[in-house]
Amino acid sequence: IYVDASYYYTFYEDFIGFNVGLTLPYTPQAERPDFTSLQVFRVAANARETVTTQGFSVGLNYYFYKTFALTTNYSWNNLVSGDDDPIIPAFNTPEHKVNVGLSARDLKTDLGFIRLKNWGFSMNAKWVDGFIFEGSPQFTGLVPSYYMVDAAVMTNFKKINTTLKIGASNLTDNRVFTVYGGPYVGRMAYFSVIYEWLNR
């Protein structure tokens, strides 16, 4: 069993964020402003005060049956100060992230009609907490919590230093977006051939 953990506390001077303003024509004689002429703008600006963030991560790797590995990690990120600054801090970081994975290598399987050796697999599930993404005015909003599952199967031909791998990221085709206003991310399948030239 391997366990690792880390903690950080950072200080930012002149943190880049945004000032938000409105252009709204108004005359004292009017009963109310002319909202049809309303314009919203955002200008990049530096924070007046020091912006501080903190976070930590904890990871665990458990190796069993010689070739299997169970991995998991958790990370926490937080904007400590600066959210009350006149600028929008645009931290754009989820507070919580979790990964859980299972993998194996150098497996041997006898299916009767075929014998497989030197094969392996990997599976990983990821969950990301929802967060407010702050970009331009039209690209500011909530990125909802989401999960993804990645999986792959590979086999190694040691005599010719070649590995064949087939897999998919976002295996369940869970349509998510990681940037507000950005495109949805779906499943991506792939096949690869890796040749290790200097492997002896």
Side-chain angles (χ1 to χ4, degrees), residues 9 15 54 59 67 71 92 97 108 115 139 143 176 178 183:
Y9 196 97
F15 190 91
Q54 68 172 336
T67 61
T71 61
N92 292 344
K97 291 191 291 185
K108 296 180 181 180
R115 287 185 177 182
F139 295 124
V143 175
V176 300
T178 58

Side-chain angles (χ1 to χ4, degrees), residues 34-54:
D34 180 13
F35 289 103
T36 59
S37 301
L38 174 66
Q39 291 183 329
V40 181
F41 60 90
R42 178 176 288 187
V43 179
N46 295 104
R48 299 177 182 176
E49 306 294 335
T50 299
V51 175
T52 57
T53 65
Q54 68 172 336

Side-chain angles (χ1 to χ4, degrees), residues 60-197:
L60 183 148
N61 291 0
Y62 174 50
Y63 299 93
F64 59 101
Y65 293 128
K66 295 183 180 180
T67 61
F68 286 81
L70 177 65
T71 61
T72 182
N73 61 69
Y74 165 78
S75 64
W76 174 74
N77 304 279
N78 185 43
L79 181 66
V80 180
S81 66
D83 55 349
D84 57 347
D85 195 279
I87 71 163
I88 297 176
F91 189 49
N92 292 344
T93 304
E95 185 173 0
H96 306 281
K97 291 191 291 185
V98 179
N99 284 277
V100 178
L102 177 65
S103 63
R105 57 181 176 80
D106 296 332
L107 297 177
K108 296 180 181 180
T109 304
D110 188 349
L111 301 177
F113 61 92
I114 187 174
R115 287 185 177 182
L116 301 176
K117 62 179 182 179
N118 300 327
W119 71 279
F121 69 88
S122 65
M123 296 184 63
N124 186 77
K126 173 175 64 177
W127 178 82
V128 178
D129 193 15
F131 64 100
I132 298 295
F133 182 90
E134 295 165 329
S136 58
Q138 67 270 36
F139 295 124
T140 295
L142 175 66
V143 175
S145 300
Y146 64 89
Y147 72 90
M148 286 188 179
V149 177
D150 303 331
V153 177
M154 67 286 295
T155 184
N156 180 259
F157 299 93
K158 294 186 177 181
K159 291 184 178 181
I160 58 174
N161 303 332
T162 301
T163 300
L164 303 182
K165 185 176 182 180
I166 184 171
S169 60
N170 195 9
L171 182 64
T172 61
D173 199 28
N174 180 29
R175 298 301 179 97
V176 300
F177 56 91
T178 58
V179 175
Y180 189 84
Y184 280 90
V185 178
R187 181 192 300 115
M188 183 186 72
Y190 60 89
F191 173 74
S192 66
V193 178
I194 302 172
Y195 176 71
E196 300 178 74
W197 180 263

Side-chain angles (χ1 to χ4, degrees), residues 8 23 30 36 101 130 151:
Y8 70 87
T23 298
T36 59

